[in-house]
Every structure is written in structure tokens, then in C-alpha cells.
């Protein structure tokens, strides 16, 4: 299996249905910080931040079904199914206490649904430019699924460099090492990851009622921060202000919510502005009893 990166350890857990999931852990003390990646993104999308956070706290990232070292799921990759897997991974690792959940992009709905189902197992939440029901649609689902399918073909025929340029089009923060960028690219710019992302994208439409319900219900009474991109990227001139306003409304409604706009960063905040992600996680964890 591929090296998870300096200071990180991989292990494999078996789910109740027999599937194997690749988990990446680091850190020895404190509460557990759980990282949930975006659609088509593997555990290594958090590689730099996980290493930095593990200096203070225990950390966990994992490859969802179909990514890198995790088995395929024969069932549809619905939002509910993904949350089932997250719970099963935590249970298999005997991590049944409250955790800090960090979710980027599609990882946001995943941690939101988990918190709705298991509020007693959530100590804090950090949303990183998380997907919202208001910014998604059935059309978006079809476009995303086709996009990942095309990217899969590009990866199959040696287009790793093209995928890398497309993904990191705003660049990567200097503090992220070339070795970490290579690991992220290795795990992301391949046909397997793109197929997994396409399978998840195909279930966006079915997830919207669930996402609307949990957004309306709100988050548990724990520290919650939403980091939102401040850079208006191509195609987002209309949607970025609305996206951030929707996020602000959700944080205003949360018992202990706060929103921060990351000026100069696009959607890939973990790669473009990792320092603020790290410090936000520290800030949430420091509020825990």
C-alpha cells in the first residue's frame, strides 16, 4: 500500500459487512479530530493539516469506500450510507467518545448528518467551505458525475499532470511540502478516485432532502466554525456571495456557531490556506471540557 506520509500511520479496519477501510492516524493525546474529505478526495487531502494537528491531538482520516486502499461498496454511495461507514470506522477503532469533526466540501454534509444522528458523539465541528443544499441540485449532480468520469479517463491515459493543474489551479501554500503535494496527487489523480467521486456525485439528488432536514434542524450545542472561501473563482461570481450568506445564516442559527471568510482562498482552503484550518481546529478543541 502507498506510504501515508511522514509521521502518519495507516491501518485497516473491517466493517460489519466485511469491507476493509484504510484509516490514517497520528497523535497520542487529547480528543480525537476526525477529517472528512470532499468528493473524489482521499484521506491524503488532509495530509499536511493532519500532521500539524496531531502535534496536539489525536487525529484520524480515512479513505472512503472505493478510494486508494479501501474496498469498493456494492451499494449506492448515498449520504446515509457514507455516514454508516464513518460510524462503523469509529466503532471498529473503539472511538465511541465525542470527537471533533472536520469536513471539507462534501465532507460537510457527511459530518452534519453524523452529528444529527449521534449528537452525543460530537464535541465540536469545523466546516471548510462545506457543500450546502442551497447550492446543489439534480443538474449539479449530473454535471459532477460526468466531470469525474471524464477525469477518470484522463487519469487512465496518463493525464496526472493535467488533473493536478486543474485541481490546484490557485496554487498550494508554501508550507505544504513537495512530498505532501506528490502524495495528494498520487492518491487523487487516478481513475479509482475519480470513479469513487462519480459514484458519490450520482447520489447528490437523493441526499438533498436529508441535507435540507439536518440543516434546518441545526448542529448540536458544541463549538462550530464555518470557514468560507473569500476568493471568487471562475463561475462563482453569482454563487460565492450567496454560498457564504447561506453559511452565515446556518452559523447564526447554531447555538455556538461562527463563520470566518478566508480572504484570498478558493474552495480548496485546506491546500491554499492550511494555517487557518489548523488554528480553527485548535480553537474549537481548546473549548472542550
Amino acid at each position: 500500500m502507498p506510504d501515508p506520509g511522514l509521521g502518519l500511520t495507516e491501518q485497516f479496519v473491517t466493517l460489519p459487512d466485511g469491507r476493509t477501510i484504510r484509516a490514517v492516524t497520528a497523535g497520542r493525546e487529547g480528543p480525537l479530530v476526525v477529517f472528512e474529505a470532499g468528493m473524489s478526495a482521499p484521506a491524503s487531502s488532509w495530509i499536511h493539516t493532519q500532521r500539524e494537528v496531531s502535534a496536539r491531538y489525536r487525529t484520524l482520516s480515512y479513505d472512503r469506500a472505493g478510494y486508494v486502499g479501501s474496498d469498493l461498496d456494492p451499494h449506492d454511495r448515498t449520504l446515509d450510507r457514507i455516514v454508516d461507514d464513518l460510524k462503523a470506522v469509529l466503532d471498529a477503532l473503539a472511538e465511541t467518545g465525542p470527537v471533533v469533526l472536520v469536513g471539507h466540501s462534501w465532507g460537510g454534509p457527511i459530518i452534519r448528518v453524523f452529528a444529527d444522528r449521534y449528537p452525543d458523539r460530537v464535541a465540536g465541528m469545523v466546516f471548510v467551505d462545506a457543500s450546502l443544499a442551497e447550492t446543489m441540485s439534480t443538474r449539479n449532480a449530473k454535471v459532477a458525475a460526468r466531470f469525474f468520469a471524464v477525469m477518470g479517463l484522463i487519469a487512465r491515459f496518463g493525464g496526472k499532470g493535467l488533473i493536478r493543474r486543474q485541481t490546484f489551479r490557485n496554487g498550494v501554500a508554501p508550507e505544504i511540502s513537495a512530498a505532501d503535494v506528490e502524495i495528494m496527487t498520487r492518491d487523487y489523480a487516478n481513475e479509482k478516485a475519480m470513479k469513487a467521486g462519480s459514484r458519490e456525485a450520482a447520489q447528490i439528488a437523493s441526499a438533498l432532502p436529508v441535507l435540507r432536514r439536518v440543516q434546518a434542524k441545526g448542529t448540536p450545542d458544541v463549538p462550530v466554525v464555518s470557514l468560507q472561501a473569500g476568493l471568487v473563482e471562475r463561475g462563482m461570481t453569482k454563487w460565492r456571495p450567496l454560498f457564504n450568506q447561506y453559511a452565515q445564516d446556518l452559523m447564526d442559527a447554531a447555538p455556538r456557531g461562527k463563520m470566518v471568510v478566508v480572504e484570498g482562498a478558493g474552495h480548496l482552503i485546506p491546500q491554499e490556506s492550511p494555517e487557518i484550518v489548523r488554528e480553527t481546529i485548535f480553537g474549537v478543541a481548546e473549548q472542550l471540557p
Side-chain angles (χ1 to χ4, degrees), residues 258-275:
K258 175 184 177 181
M259 192 186 91
V260 176
V261 175
V262 186
E263 300 296 345
H267 182 58
L268 294 185
I269 297 174
Q271 287 77 41
E272 296 173 29
S273 297
E275 180 180 2

Side-chain angles (χ1 to χ4, degrees), residues 202-225:
Q203 301 302 317
I204 290 175
S206 68
L208 291 179
V210 177
L211 188 51
R212 292 190 189 100
R213 177 183 63 79
V214 295
Q215 286 182 191
K217 186 175 178 180
T219 56
D221 187 5
V222 298
V224 180
V225 180

Side-chain angles (χ1 to χ4, degrees), residues 28 98 107 126 208 237 264-265:
R28 297 181 179 180
V126 178
L208 291 179
T237 302

Side-chain angles (χ1 to χ4, degrees), residues 110-133:
I110 296 169
I111 67 171
R112 188 178 285 278
V113 173
F114 182 92
D116 178 67
R117 285 199 207 168
Y118 313 107
D120 294 340
R121 297 181 68 166
V122 179
M125 304 179 74
V126 178
F127 295 100
V128 186
D129 218 44
S131 304
L132 300 174

Side-chain angles (χ1 to χ4, degrees), residues 26-182:
R28 297 181 179 180
E29 300 178 349
L32 180 69
V33 177
V34 179
F35 294 96
E36 191 66 66
M39 195 172 288
S40 81
S44 61
S45 64
W46 293 108
I47 184 171
H48 175 80
T49 299
Q50 181 172 5
R51 183 184 300 112
E52 294 284 302
V53 172
S54 69
R56 295 191 192 179
Y57 304 108
R58 296 182 302 120
T59 62
L60 166 69
S61 63
Y62 72 105
D63 293 323
R64 292 198 296 271
Y67 293 92
V68 189
S70 292
D71 290 343
L72 291 170
D73 185 356
H75 299 282
D76 289 340
R77 295 302 293 163
T78 64
L79 186 54
D80 283 328
R81 180 72 173 174
I82 294 172
V83 173
D84 288 342
D85 282 1
L86 172 55
K87 176 181 180 295
V89 168
L90 291 172
D91 289 347
L93 294 171
E95 296 286 355
T96 57
V99 302
V100 176
L101 296 168
V102 183
H104 174 241
S105 196
W106 191 240
I110 296 169
I111 67 171
R112 188 178 285 278
V113 173
F114 182 92
D116 178 67
R117 285 199 207 168
Y118 313 107
D120 294 340
R121 297 181 68 166
V122 179
M125 304 179 74
V126 178
F127 295 100
V128 186
D129 218 44
S131 304
L132 300 174
E134 292 84 354
T135 62
M136 309 188 82
S137 66
T138 301
R139 178 181 178 276
N140 288 348
K142 293 178 180 178
V143 170
R146 286 197 295 267
F147 171 79
F148 291 133
V150 170
M151 294 287 271
L153 288 174
I154 292 172
R156 180 191 297 179
F157 293 105
K160 176 180 173 180
L162 176 60
I163 295 174
R164 177 172 172 167
R165 290 191 296 274
Q166 167 67 25
T167 302
F168 302 125
R169 55 186 176 275
N170 298 326
V172 174
E175 67 184 87
I176 300 180
S177 70
D180 284 353
V181 173
E182 182 55 37

